[in-house]
Structures are given as structure tokens and as C-alpha cells.
Amino acid sequence: QEKLAESGGGPVAAGGSRRLSCTTSGSIYDKNCMGWFRQRPGEEREVVATIYTVDDTQWYADSVKGRFIISRNSAEHTVYLSMNDLQPEDSAMYICAADVHPSTMMSSVVRSYCAFGGSWNSGDVWGQGTQISVSS
């Protein structure tokens, strides 16, 4: 059963823009850190942006800072990744993930994890991914 549903991938010309969406259930979205990862063939998965669903605390990888924006719609339990000025090196499978923590964990602790890119482990929830292909 798919718990995170991504959409918005596809081909795009260099310099173009694309917005990815990730929709999930309230139990996964609420009070957790949501993130976008990307993975190129033969490379490890890397986190590119995270957002804390309570107060918008965000983090970005240096490689996307100033070009990508992560945002949320809490009413729809949806997280977005708006990608601008896309370059061929941005081509990858983009994967949405939820950094799930126990409900007893203090929000300040979850926020601090999210502010530094999340604390990803085997208990987290992952989507299937959506492909972005940037042509030069």
C-alpha cells in the first residue's frame, strides 16, 4: 500500500521549472519532517530539502539552495518541491519521504532534526519516486 504519492516528474529543458507534489495521510504528515531526496543512477540517495510540517522550518542542500523551494499544504497533507533553473545535473529520481518520530518526541527536537536535513532511518516512510530528466 502506497503511503506517499509523488507526481509532477517528466522531461524539462535546461533553465526550465517543474513542481513536484507529494501527498500522504495525516498520520504520516502531521508533526513530522517531510523531505525530498534525489538519486541518480549509480549514486547514493541524497536529501535535497526538508520541511517541518508544524512551522515551516526548512533546510536545503547547497546544490539546490536558491533554485528549489519546498512548501506545504497542511489541509491536503501535501508537500511540494518547486524547482527552478533546472540543469542537466538535476536529472534524477526524486523521492518523497517522511522522517517519522514517536508522537511523544518534543516538537523542538523534531524541528531541530528537520532544520539540519532530517534524521533518516529505517523507520521512515518512502515514496516510489518521480523521474526528472533535464535536457541541455
Side-chain angles (χ1 to χ4, degrees):
Q1 182 179 357
E2 199 168 280
K3 296 182 178 181
L4 295 174
E6 302 112 326
S7 62
V12 61
S17 300
R18 202 84 179 186
R19 190 177 81 158
L20 306 180
S21 300
C22 171
T23 300
T24 186
S25 65
S27 61
I28 292 175
Y29 176 95
D30 291 340
K31 300 180 182 179
N32 280 315
C33 181
M34 299 291 296
W36 284 98
F37 284 71
R38 65 185 180 188
Q39 188 167 24
R40 305 180 187 88
E43 297 185 14
E44 290 190 4
R45 188 175 294 182
E46 63 169 342
V47 57
V48 296
T50 58
I51 187 167
Y52 183 40
T53 60
V54 173
D55 65 6
D56 252 7
T57 296
Q58 298 171 22
W59 176 90
Y60 295 92
D62 288 342
S63 58
V64 306
K65 203 172 290 184
R67 299 188 300 125
F68 290 12
I69 298 173
I70 190 169
S71 59
R72 62 189 175 97
N73 181 331
S74 293
E76 298 184 356
H77 304 137
T78 298
V79 175
Y80 304 98
L81 185 67
S82 298
M83 305 181 292
N84 302 302
D85 190 25
L86 284 162
Q87 300 301 317
E89 55 266 32
D90 294 315
S91 296
M93 181 70 75
Y94 283 75
I95 305 160
C96 179
D99 185 14
V100 179
H101 296 278
S103 60
T104 53
M105 183 174 287
M106 292 175 62
S107 62
S108 59
V109 176
V110 180
R111 182 188 301 112
S112 66
Y113 289 150
C114 209
F116 290 94
S119 61
W120 307 95
N121 54 58
S122 60
D124 297 320
V125 181
W126 298 86
Q128 296 295 310
T130 185
Q131 181 70 38
I132 288 290
S133 299
V134 185
S135 58
S136 57

